[in-house]
C-alpha cells in the first residue's frame, strides 16, 4: 500500500497501481534502498517513523494545507500559453505556474512539508544542500519563518554562478558554506551536507531537496511535491474537460517532475516526458543526463542511474543550469524509465537558452533555466501534435536568478 | 581458520590487542603505497586496512578525501587495488588485509566477481561504509561463498536492539565507529569508550576494533585495551601527505609513516 497521502479516498491506490511504490524497504523495483553509514541508520529509521505518524495525523495535513495556501500561495495557476501555442502551431500548451510560489520555485512545497516533520521530531537545526540555490533559498525561508538554525552547503562553483541566491539566503539568516571538494557543484554539496548530518545527529535535520537519498526521502519528497500534479489534474479537467496528452518536466534529481507525474502514473493515455540536461550534448562527455547516459549504481543513499566511469567512480555532471547539474536521479525515475512509463529525453544548454528567450518574449515569463529545458522539449514536440491535443509543462521556477548566466551566453555584460 | 581469526587468537594469547593501520591504495602512487603496505607488518601492523579510493567519500574528513583524490589521480581502480594486495601476498601470507571503502566500485565490479577476485588476491574482509545490514544481502552470500568477512560497523548511537540486529551475522571483527562524525576529526574519550564498548561486546563474540579519531600512541593503547584493536588512519595519512613534494612521494614518505606506526605499535604492545 502506498504511503502517499492517504487522507482522502480519491487518493487510495490499487494494489497493481504504479503509484504504490516504494515497498516497505524503500525500493522501487531495483532502485532506491537505504545505503547509508550505520551512524545515519537510526536517524532515517526515526524519520520514517515520524513521517508515517505525520501522514496518519489529520492535524498535520491540516497544518500543511494551511501553509501551502497562505504562505506558499497555492494553488498555483495553470496558464494557457496562447502566444506560444499559436507560434508553434500545434498542441495547446499549458504552463503549471510553480514559479509563482513564494521564493519562486516548486522547492518550497517540499521544504514546507519536511520542516513541519522536523518540528514534530523536535529538531532545532536544519542542514540542506543546494545547486542553483532554489532549494537553499526555500529552506532558509522556512527556517526564518520558524526560527530554526539553518546551514546550507553549496558548491563553490555554484556559489559563484548563483550569487543572488547566496545573498538571498544570507538575508534570510542562513549560513551558506561553500564546498570546494570535487568540482564544487551539487554532488559535492550533498557529500558535505551528509558529513555535517553524521556529525550532528542529535539536533540536526537533513532537508533533502529532491526525490533522492535514502528511504524515506524519495517517497516523502514526492508526496509533498505531488500537490503539483494533483492540482494540475483538477485544473486541466476544469479548463478542457479531459486529461492532457502529454506532460513535460525538467529533471535534475527529479522532484518537480515526480511531483507533476505521480498523480498521472495510472492514467496510461497521458504521455509523461522528463527532460534531462544534456549539457553540451548527450555524447559530448559534458552532460548531466543520468538516465540517458548513466547506468545503475549506488550514491548518496540510493541505488539509481548514475553518471560514472568504468570503475564506478562518479563523473562530474555538466549543465548550464546549476539545478540540473547532478550525476544522479531519483530512484523512482530510474524505475519509471525501466518499465517504460516515462520517457527521458536530453535537452542541450543551447536549446534551453533559446527556450528561455522565447518564453520571455512570447509569454512575458522568465523561466528558470531548469524549466527552460522542459520548454525546449515542448518546442520540439508541440508542432508535431494536432491542434486538438494538449501539453502541460511544469514551469518549476522563475528565471530572475539566471539572468547573469543568460547574459554571459548571449554576450551581454551586466 | 581465517587469517583474521588466527591473528586475533594469537594476540589474545599474547595478552594484547591489535594495531590496525590504514593506508589509501595508490596514495600518492601505486609503487609507494605498495612499498608502505609491505613495510607495515615489520613496523608493527597486526592487521592492515587498505582504503579503496572513491570519488565521493561522504563519511570521510578532508584528510582521507584528499588521499582518495591523490589515489584516483594516480590511476587507482578496484582491480588495481586487488592486484596490489596480490603483490603484497607474495611476501606475506599471515597479515590480514581488509579493504575499506564505498559500495559503488564494488557494485560496478559485480558482487560475485569481486568476492571471488578479492579472495583470490588474498583479501580477508571488507568494510563498506555505505552498506548497512539492511542492504548487505546483496553481497553476503557471495562473500560467504568465497570466505570473505563483511565487517559490520556500529556507532555510539546504535541502540541495543540494532546492535543485536546488526551483529547477528558478524564475522571477522566488528568496527566500532567511536564518534558520531566523519574520519579524522573528533575523538572519543577513554571514559566514553569504556562505557560504550562493553555494550557491543555483550552482544557478540567476535573481536571489536575501535576506529575514528585515534591518532596518538596513548589513544591507540587505550582503544586496543578497551576493545580488541585500534584502527589508526587519518594521522598516518597526514604524515604521508606532509612528506610529499608537489604531490609526489619522496625518500621520506615510507619511513615517516612506518616510524609513526612503530611508535603506535610500541604503545599497543606496552613496551
Amino acid at each position: 500500500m502506498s504511503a502517499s497521502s492517504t487522507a482522502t479516498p480519491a487518493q487510495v491506490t490499487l494494489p497493481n497501481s504504479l503509484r504504490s511504490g516504494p515497498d516497505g524497504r524503500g525500493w522501487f523495483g531495483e532502485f532506491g534502498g537505504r545505503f547509508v553509514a550505520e551512524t545515519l541508520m537510526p536517524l532515517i529509521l526515526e524519520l520514517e517513523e515520524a513521517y508515517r505518524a505525520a501522514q496518519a495525523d489529520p492535524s498535520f495535513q491540516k497544518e500543511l494545507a494551511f501553509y501551502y495556501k497562505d504562505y506558499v500561495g497555492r494553488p498555483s495557476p495553470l496558464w494557457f500559453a496562447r502566444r506560444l501555442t499559436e507560434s508553434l502551431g500545434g498542441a495547446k500548451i499549458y504552463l503549471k505556474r510553480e514559479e509563482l510560489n513564494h521564493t519562486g520555485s516548486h522547492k518550497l512545497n517540499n521544504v514546507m512539508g519536511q520542516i513541519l516533520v522536523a518540528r514534530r521530531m523536535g529538531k532545532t537545526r536544519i542542514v540542506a544542500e543546494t545547486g542553483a540555490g532554489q532549494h537553499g533559498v526555500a529552506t532558509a525561508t522556512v527556517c526564518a519563518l520558524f526560527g530554526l538554525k539553518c546551514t546550507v552547503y553549496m558548491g563553490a562553483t555554484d556559489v559563484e554562478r548563483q550569487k543572488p541566491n547566496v545573498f538571498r539566503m544570507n538575508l534570510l539568516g542562513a549560513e551558506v558554506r561553500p564546498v570546494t571538494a570535487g568540482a564544487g557543484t551539487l554532488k559535492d554539496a550533498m557529500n558535505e551536507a551528509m558529513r555535517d548530518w553524521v556529525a550532528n545527529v542529535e539536533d540536526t535535520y537533513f532537508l533533502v531537496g529532491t526525490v533522492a537519498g535514502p528511504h524515506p526521502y524519495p517517497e516523502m519528497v514526492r508526496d509533498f511535491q505531488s500537490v503539483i500534479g494533483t492540482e494540475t489534474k483538477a485544473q486541466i479537467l476544469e479548463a478542457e474537460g479531459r486529461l492532457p496528452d502529454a506532460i513535460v518536466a525538467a529533471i535534475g534529481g527529479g522532484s518537480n517532475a515526480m511531483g507533476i507525474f505521480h498523480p498521472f502514473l495510472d492514467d496510461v493515455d497521458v504521455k509523461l516526458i522528463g527532460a534531462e540536461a544534456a549539457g553540451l550534448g548527450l555524447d559530448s562527455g559534458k552532460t548531466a543526463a543520468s538516465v540517458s547516459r548513466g547506468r545503475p549504481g549506488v550514491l548518496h543513499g540510493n541505488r539509481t542511474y548514475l553518471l560514472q566511469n568504468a570503475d564506478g567512480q562518479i563523473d562530474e555532471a555538466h549543465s548550464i543550469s546549476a539545478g540540473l547539474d547532478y550525476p544522479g536521479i531519483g530512484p523512482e525515475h530510474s524505475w519509471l524509465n525501466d518499465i517504460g512509463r516515462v520517457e527521458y529525453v536530453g535537452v542541450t544548454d543551447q536549446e534551453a537558452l533559446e527556450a528561455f528567450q522565447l518564453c520571455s518574449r512570447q509569454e512575458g515569463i522568465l523561466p528558470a533555466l531548469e524549466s527552460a529545458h522542459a520548454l525546449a522539449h515542448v518546442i520540439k514536440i508541440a508542432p508535431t501534435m494536432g491542434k486538438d491535443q494538449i501539453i502541460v509543462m511544469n514551469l518549476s521556477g522563475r528565471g530572475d536568478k539566471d539572468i547573469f548566466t543568460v547574459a554571459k551566453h548571449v554576450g551581454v555584460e551586466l | 581458520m581465517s587469517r583474521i581469526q588466527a591473528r586475533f587468537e594469537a594476540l589474545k594469547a599474547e595478552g594484547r590487542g591489535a594495531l590496525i593501520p590504514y593506508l589509501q591504495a595508490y596514495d600518492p602512487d601505486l609503487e609507494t603505497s605498495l612499498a608502505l603496505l609491505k613495510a607495515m607488518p615489520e613496523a608493527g601492523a597486526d592487521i592492515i586496512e587498505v582504503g579503496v579510493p572513491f570519488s565521493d567519500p561522504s563519511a570521510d574528513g578532508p584528510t582521507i578525501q584528499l588521499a582518495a583524490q591523490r589515489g584516483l589521480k594516480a590511476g587507482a581502480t578496484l582491480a588495481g587495488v586487488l592486484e596490489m594486495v596480490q603483490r603484497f601476498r607474495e611476501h606475506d601470507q599471515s597479515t590480514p588485509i581488509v579493504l575499506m571503502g564505498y559500495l559503488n566500485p564494488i557494485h560496478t565490479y559485480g558482487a560475485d566477481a569481486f568476492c571471488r577476485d578479492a579472495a583470490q588476491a588474498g583479501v580477508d574482509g571488507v568494510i563498506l561504509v555505505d552498506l548497512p545490514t539492511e542492504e548487505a544481502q546483496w553481497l553476503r552470500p557471495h562473500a560467504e561463498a568465497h570466505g570473505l568477512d563483511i565487517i559490520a560497523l556500529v556507532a555510539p548511537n546504535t541502540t541495543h536492539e540494532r546492535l543485536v540486529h546488526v551483529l547477528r551475522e558478524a564475522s571477522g571483527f566488528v568496527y566500532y565507529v567511536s564518534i558520531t562524525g566523519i574520519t579524522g576529526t573528533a575523538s572519543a574519550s577513554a571514559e566514553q569508550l569504556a562505557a560504550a564498548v562493553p555494550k557491543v561486546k555483550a552482544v557478540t563474540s567476535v573481536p571489536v576494533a575501535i576506529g575514528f579519531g585515534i591518532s596518538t600512541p596513548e589513544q591507540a593503547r587505550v582503544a586496543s585495551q578497551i576493545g580488541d584493536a585500534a584502527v589508526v588512519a587519518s594521522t598516518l595519512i597526514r604524515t604521508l601527505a606532509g612528506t610529499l613534494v608537489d604531490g609526489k612521494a619522496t625518500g621520506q614518505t615510507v619511513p615517516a609513516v612506518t616510524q609513526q606506526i612503530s611508535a603506535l605499535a610500541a604503545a599497543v604492545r606496552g613496551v
Side-chain angles (χ1 to χ4, degrees):
Chain A
M1 177 66 217
S2 166
S4 62
S5 328
T6 50
T8 60
Q11 288 177 318
V12 170
T13 51
L14 301 167
N16 60 352
S17 166
L18 296 178
R19 301 178 60 205
S20 61
D23 68 17
R25 295 169 52 243
W27 288 82
F28 302 91
E30 295 183 341
F31 300 99
R34 286 178 286 213
F35 294 91
V36 295
E38 177 56 36
T39 318
L40 293 179
M41 275 306 292
L43 280 72
I44 61 172
L45 292 173
E46 182 196 359
L47 172 59
E48 188 182 2
E49 199 178 316
Y51 180 53
R52 296 283 173 249
Q55 280 180 307
D57 181 352
S59 74
F60 175 82
Q61 302 298 341
K62 204 176 147 192
E63 191 183 19
L64 183 61
F66 164 76
Y67 285 107
Y68 272 178
K69 178 172 174 287
D70 287 351
Y71 192 73
V72 181
R74 305 208 67 89
S76 68
L78 185 67
W79 170 249
F80 173 51
R82 187 178 303 279
R83 287 199 67 207
L84 203 54
T85 298
E86 283 169 4
S87 77
L88 294 172
K92 293 176 83 169
I93 299 163
Y94 281 87
L95 305 177
K96 178 61 174 166
R97 303 285 306 274
E98 289 297 301
E99 101 284 8
L100 291 177
N101 292 334
H102 180 37
T103 75
S105 81
H106 71 292
K107 291 294 187 186
L108 199 60
N109 303 328
N110 166 49
V111 170
M112 189 51 84
Q114 283 199 58
I115 285 200
L116 295 183
V117 173
R119 274 161 56 86
R120 288 171 69 99
M121 296 171 77
K123 301 292 183 183
T124 55
R125 176 173 177 266
I126 305 291
V127 293
E129 83 295 345
T130 197
Q134 295 299 83
H135 175 57
V137 167
T139 302
T141 296
V142 185
C143 285
L145 178 67
F146 291 115
L148 298 166
K149 270 187 288 183
C150 180
T151 302
V152 177
Y153 290 93
M154 190 168 183
T157 305
D158 292 338
V159 166
E160 191 50 40
R161 59 180 166 175
Q162 299 288 345
K163 277 182 191 158
N165 271 345
V166 175
F167 184 57
R168 222 164 261 152
M169 287 183 267
N170 290 333
L171 287 174
L172 292 160
E175 181 197 359
V176 179
R177 293 189 190 164
V179 179
T180 53
T185 60
L186 183 51
K187 97 175 158 95
D188 310 297
M190 186 85 171
N191 289 332
E192 208 57 34
M194 289 178 80
R195 291 181 186 118
D196 182 311
W197 193 28
V198 83
N200 297 285
V201 298
E202 292 301 324
D203 64 343
T204 297
Y205 182 93
F206 181 22
L207 210 162
V208 175
T210 191
V211 285
H215 177 64
Y217 284 105
E219 173 192 338
M220 179 172 61
V221 177
R222 173 203 72 198
D223 290 348
F224 291 136
Q225 292 293 3
S226 289
V227 66
I228 304 171
T230 303
E231 284 177 10
T232 299
K233 207 171 205 179
Q235 288 166 323
I236 197 72
L237 284 173
E238 194 187 328
E240 294 282 348
R242 68 177 185 90
L243 297 180
D245 297 280
I247 298 177
V248 183
I251 309 249
S255 72
N256 90 77
M258 210 56 244
I260 196 165
F261 290 167
H262 193 256
F264 290 92
L265 287 182
D266 290 331
D267 301 304
V268 291
D269 293 333
V270 180
K271 198 169 157 65
L272 304 174
I273 305 166
E276 293 195 290
L280 301 184
L282 284 176
D283 295 311
S284 65
K286 293 265 182 195
T287 181
S290 318
V291 170
S292 301
R293 287 298 175 271
R295 56 166 210 282
V298 174
L299 181 72
H300 296 154
N302 57 180
R303 183 179 191 273
T304 194
Y305 277 91
L306 299 172
L307 296 173
Q308 54 184 317
N309 72 12
D311 192 47
Q313 306 295 338
I314 309 304
D315 286 335
E316 298 295 345
H318 169 85
S319 170
I320 189 173
S321 149
L324 304 183
D325 207 345
Y326 180 69
I329 184 170
E332 194 167 8
H333 283 295
S334 294
W335 174 69
L336 290 168
N337 174 71
D338 279 16
I339 64 168
R341 178 64 187 94
V342 178
E343 181 192 0
Y344 294 86
V345 298
V347 170
T348 64
D349 290 352
Q350 191 55 40
E351 291 167 333
L353 277 167
E354 286 162 16
F356 180 100
Q357 294 169 78
L358 188 71
C359 188
S360 303
R361 284 194 305 268
Q362 294 202 333
E363 292 298 328
I365 299 169
L366 268 58
L369 273 174
E370 290 78 18
S371 320
H373 283 74
L375 186 62
H377 191 68
V378 169
I379 291 169
K380 283 182 206 168
I381 63 170
T384 71
M385 294 168 69
K387 291 191 175 180
D388 56 339
Q389 292 188 291
I390 301 165
I391 303 175
V392 174
M393 189 207 107
N394 196 5
L395 186 48
S396 56
R398 67 175 181 229
D400 307 61
K401 70 182 173 62
D402 293 313
I403 57 172
F404 298 97
T405 305
V406 174
K408 201 174 113 193
H409 282 268
V410 298
V412 174
E413 211 166 307
L414 294 183
Chain B
M1 187 186 295
S2 77
R3 263 190 288 259
I4 294 176
Q5 251 181 314
R7 179 55 52 105
F8 274 110
E9 289 197 6
L11 294 180
K12 199 173 175 185
E14 279 182 42
R16 68 172 177 93
L19 174 67
I20 310 182
Y22 170 102
L23 63 81
Q24 181 91 242
Y26 283 68
D27 175 23
D29 61 75
L30 171 60
E31 293 308 322
T32 304
S33 70
L34 178 60
L36 178 57
L37 182 61
K38 286 179 178 172
M40 276 185 169
E42 177 70 28
D46 297 305
I47 297 171
I48 302 170
E49 258 183 43
V50 176
V52 180
F54 182 51
S55 53
D56 293 79
S58 58
D60 284 302
T63 303
I64 293 183
Q65 288 174 42
L66 289 172
Q69 281 176 20
R70 289 191 297 267
L72 290 173
K73 208 172 154 199
T77 61
L78 182 53
V81 176
L82 295 183
E83 206 181 304
M84 180 176 151
V85 173
Q86 192 157 25
R87 287 172 67 187
F88 169 83
R89 276 280 169 257
E90 289 165 10
H91 303 267
D92 186 318
Q93 297 297 317
S94 59
T95 308
I97 297 274
V98 177
L99 298 188
M100 180 159 191
Y102 295 79
L103 182 58
N104 201 51
I106 290 172
H107 184 271
T108 298
Y109 200 103
D112 195 62
F114 167 74
C115 292
R116 180 196 63 213
D117 292 356
Q120 236 162 44
V123 172
D124 301 289
V126 287
I127 304 173
L128 291 170
V129 176
D130 53 354
L131 188 72
T133 305
E134 278 70 9
E135 308 294 353
Q137 203 48 32
W138 180 79
L139 192 65
R140 197 178 297 285
H142 308 286
E144 281 171 2
H146 295 285
L148 216 55
D149 289 319
I150 297 181
I151 308 300
L153 293 136
V154 295
N157 60 341
T158 311
T159 61
H160 175 74
E161 290 71 28
R162 258 198 88 69
L163 280 177
V164 171
H165 174 63
V166 169
L167 299 182
R168 205 177 47 218
E169 296 179 275
S171 69
F173 60 91
V174 176
Y175 193 122
Y176 178 68
V177 176
S178 64
I179 53 157
T180 53
I182 53 176
T183 54
T185 51
S187 304
S189 67
E191 293 71 31
Q192 286 169 320
L193 292 179
V197 173
K199 293 179 190 164
V200 180
K201 296 190 78 91
V203 301
T204 183
S205 56
V206 304
V208 177
I210 300 173
F212 280 47
I214 297 177
S215 59
T216 67
E218 176 59 13
Q219 285 172 325
R221 183 189 66 78
V222 167
S224 73
Q225 285 173 353
I226 295 172
D228 301 292
V231 181
V232 182
S234 293
T235 184
L236 298 176
I237 307 277
R238 269 193 290 273
T239 299
L240 179 145
T243 68
L244 304 179
V245 174
D246 297 330
K248 295 211 163 29
T250 60
Q252 274 311 299
T253 303
V254 173
V257 180
T258 53
Q259 274 164 30
Q260 193 179 3
I261 292 172
S262 297
L264 291 158
V268 167
R269 290 163 196 232
V271 295

